[in-house]
Amino acid sequence: MRKFLLEIFVLLGKDKERLPSLLFLFLFVSLLDLAGIGLIGPYIAMITSPEAADGIAIKLGSWVDLPADTSDLLILMGLVLVVIFFVKAVLTIWINYVIARFSQGQQVRLRSLLMKHYMSMPYTEYIGRNSSEYIHRIQTQVGEYAGAVQMMLKTISDMLVALVILLFLVWTSPLALSLLVVLFGLFLVIYDVSFRKNISMLGRQTNLATTNMLQATNEGIEGLKEVRILGCKSYFQHKVDESAKNLAMYTIKTDVISSAPRYILELIMVFFVVVLTVITIVFMQNVGQLLPTLAMFGVAAVRLLPAANGLSTNLMRLRYYADSVSKLYKDSIATLFDESSSQKSQQGKKKIPFNNILLKSVTFRYPDSKNDALHQISMDIKCGESIGLIGTSGSGKTTLVDTLLGLLTPISGEIFFNGCPLKESLGVWRSHVAYLPQQVFLIDNTLRNNVALGVESGAVDEQRLSNALQMALLSGFVEQLPDGLDTMLGEKGVRLSGGQRQRVALA
């Protein structure tokens, strides 16, 4: 749990500086709780016992200039109680809003941070994982992290309130409080110890099942044409069904374990009232004196029960989210403390003429591979030359191109652009590059936004767009489209033929 809390704290980034102000708000609301509960006992005593009412009126009158008449004092105290609980209700709602806004702000920031990391992570690391992992991290696990932050803050808030109330109840009735603390404390400790390992394991299993389901769904949908022709629909259907059933089973177990404490705590509270009444009858013989204490403890229970239930439930949920937070921490930590990758990608926007690109004894080997994909490659490509790479399948042609593009880093040797090491001028070099792979990249958007990829719609240079379409021999094709340049191409250009997709990518 200590490691988990440390990871959450680190992932907060600069926002951790806002925690002290939040804690101050929690403490202020807990003091309002104390004031309200502290007045409940005397108020009930004044209603049920005229003698007690006279004593309280005299005592309060000696401290503050209040009405001596009991009825007037009851009305005044009632108004004070209403005002205190009204202010507390408004503040509590506002604090819940602040907590939710803080947690959701973490979600927005972390999703942006992860996307930034994934877009600039080393290419060898990127290809070593399934794309469903990245989607699951950003879409689901960041939400779980935000939920963990919200739970943690609400738990701190509830615990501060509970602590202040408990301190007050020590002064009111040590015996009753001792009984309540023993009952609640024993249950919380026993329940947490019984299920902490189970809930952590369920968190890991849920993440694995969700990733498997996303992977099977993505692969089945993306390869729909091939899947139908090959007649293997049942394979992907079975993978999705199996993962979905596992996910449902893990979710049910988690929900049952997390929701059970609420009902058990209610039972314990009723047991506490009965036991306290029995003790009073047996040892004190005066049940009437118990009524103000029970009233005060009853109002306190309205705050203590949710706090105790929240503590138990949130501890379970935090353990459940531990696996997600740990994975997010590993993916985000480099981006949190090192902005160098993004700075490299942003440099070199200014145009510098291309002279040559030189490879000197470049060797590259993929992780977990025993053989070199490239071995001692040397070549010098000069301005104006046309170079073709010819070789058998698996000879390293694509790897060499990826290395030239700076996507892969050689394990030995070096690449120079215009005499400068490529790693120091990567942005400048890439500004000269157009890349048209065998499997083209198109987004699910209009033809205009695909050709002018990366440019905001309102900033597209129409003349450059027209020239690009003419050079790619697409002008006639555009005229045939129902919406012209604003025609949607579909996911990965599914509404185009293979040749048309190539030409759009070329444009």
Side-chain angles (χ1 to χ4, degrees), residues 179-226:
L179 178 61
L180 188 63
V181 169
V182 168
L183 291 174
F184 274 22
L186 274 176
F187 166 72
L188 292 175
V189 170
I190 292 172
Y191 199 81
D192 184 60
V193 170
S194 301
F195 291 104
R196 63 173 60 173
K197 290 183 179 178
N198 289 357
I199 206 74
S200 297
M201 181 182 65
L202 285 170
R204 290 191 296 273
Q205 291 173 330
T206 299
N207 283 329
L208 180 60
T210 305
T211 302
N212 289 340
M213 186 173 66
L214 280 172
Q215 180 179 342
T217 304
N218 287 340
E219 291 170 349
I221 291 175
E222 287 181 11
L224 183 63
K225 185 189 295 184
E226 292 84 351

Side-chain angles (χ1 to χ4, degrees), residues 144-209:
E144 292 177 349
Y145 163 76
V149 171
Q150 188 165 347
M151 285 180 187
M152 189 173 66
L153 291 175
K154 292 194 79 170
T155 300
I156 293 172
S157 174
D158 288 341
M159 292 310 297
L160 277 174
V161 171
L163 180 62
V164 171
I165 292 173
L166 289 174
L167 290 174
F168 173 72
L169 294 179
V170 167
W171 173 73
T172 305
S173 177
L175 173 64
L177 179 64
S178 299
L179 178 61
L180 188 63
V181 169
V182 168
L183 291 174
F184 274 22
L186 274 176
F187 166 72
L188 292 175
V189 170
I190 292 172
Y191 199 81
D192 184 60
V193 170
S194 301
F195 291 104
R196 63 173 60 173
K197 290 183 179 178
N198 289 357
I199 206 74
S200 297
M201 181 182 65
L202 285 170
R204 290 191 296 273
Q205 291 173 330
T206 299
N207 283 329
L208 180 60

